[in-house]
């Protein structure tokens, strides 16, 4: 059986926070505000994986009211979520992601982000792709007020 999963997340960008994508810190004048470290890409990936496996969503697995997950590294959340998916017998066929951010440019960090996600998921970098798009100066993303991530994955059992 194969199943597709979709994830999406958006975080406000503010000064004084780190800008993290897929566990990689990218130099930027603003970073993601949010519960945990705000890694918007990882949050979208977690929802895609859980959705494909029918195992709920990130909010159910890691409730924001639970102090255990307060400021938890998102990479740890991804590892824990993937362990549940993997334990249910699922294998990752591929994961494709889009990050919408006006700046900084993602391209110089793409391979590092792919490798970072691949390491947690126990797959090769070729299984994962990530691309960056700008907001063309429009709306909250284009104005640099927010960053959005979308992820789609295919699982095989
Ligand atoms: Mg989030």
């Amino acid at each position: 059986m194969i199943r597709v999963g979709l994830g999406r997340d958006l975080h406000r960008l503010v000064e004084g926070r780190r800008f993290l994508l897929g566990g990689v810190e990218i130099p930027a004048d603003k970073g993601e505000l949010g519960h945990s470290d705000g890694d918007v890409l990882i949050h979208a990936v977690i929802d895609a994986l859980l959705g494909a496996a029918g195992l709920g969503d990130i909010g159910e697995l890691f409730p924001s009211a639970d102090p255990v997950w307060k400021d938890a590294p998102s990479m740890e959340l991804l590892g824990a979520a993937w362990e549940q998916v993997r334990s249910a017998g699922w294998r990752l066929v591929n994961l494709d992601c889009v990050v919408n951010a006006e700046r900084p440019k993602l391209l110089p960090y793409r391979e590092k982000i792919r490798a970072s996600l691949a390491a947690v998921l126990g797959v090769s970098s070729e299984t994962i792709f990530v691309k960056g798009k700008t907001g063309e100066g429009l709306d909250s993303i284009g104005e640099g007020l927010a960053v959005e991530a979308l992820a789609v994955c295919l699982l095989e059992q």
Side-chain angles (χ1 to χ4, degrees):
M1 178 165 52
I2 57 167
R3 284 172 61 149
V4 66
L6 172 68
R8 181 260 182 188
D9 197 21
L10 179 133
H11 278 247
R12 194 181 289 268
L13 288 171
V14 296
E15 283 172 13
R17 293 274 298 186
R18 297 190 297 158
F19 190 68
L20 290 165
L21 288 177
V24 175
E25 185 168 349
I26 296 173
D29 52 355
K30 290 179 179 178
E32 297 123 322
L33 185 66
H35 186 63
S36 80
D37 58 18
D39 193 321
V40 70
L41 176 57
I42 289 188
H43 297 175
V45 168
I46 289 173
D47 267 350
L49 295 169
L50 292 175
L55 290 173
D57 63 40
I58 189 169
E60 274 182 276
L61 245 66
F62 312 110
S64 53
D66 188 341
V68 170
W69 304 113
K70 172 120 177 75
D71 296 321
S74 294
M75 290 288 270
E76 274 182 28
L77 306 188
L78 176 60
W82 177 240
E83 182 52 34
Q84 291 207 16
V85 174
R86 209 184 52 79
S87 298
W90 294 101
R91 185 183 73 82
L92 181 62
V93 177
N94 78 307
L95 170 69
D96 193 21
C97 310
V98 177
V99 176
N100 292 316
E102 198 63 12
R103 59 190 164 271
K105 286 272 174 262
L106 244 73
L107 194 55
Y109 305 96
R110 171 191 280 169
E111 296 314 313
K112 213 171 163 185
I113 293 168
R114 292 174 75 192
S116 171
L117 291 172
V120 177
L121 300 174
V123 297
S124 74
S125 288
E126 287 77 61
T127 305
I128 297 167
F129 205 75
V130 179
K131 48 203 156 295
K133 309 294 282 184
T134 72
E136 295 286 343
L138 298 169
D139 299 328
S140 58
I141 290 163
E143 290 169 15
L145 301 174
V147 54
E148 177 186 46
L150 300 136
V152 61
C153 73
L154 194 70
L155 298 183
E156 183 178 49
Q157 196 179 45

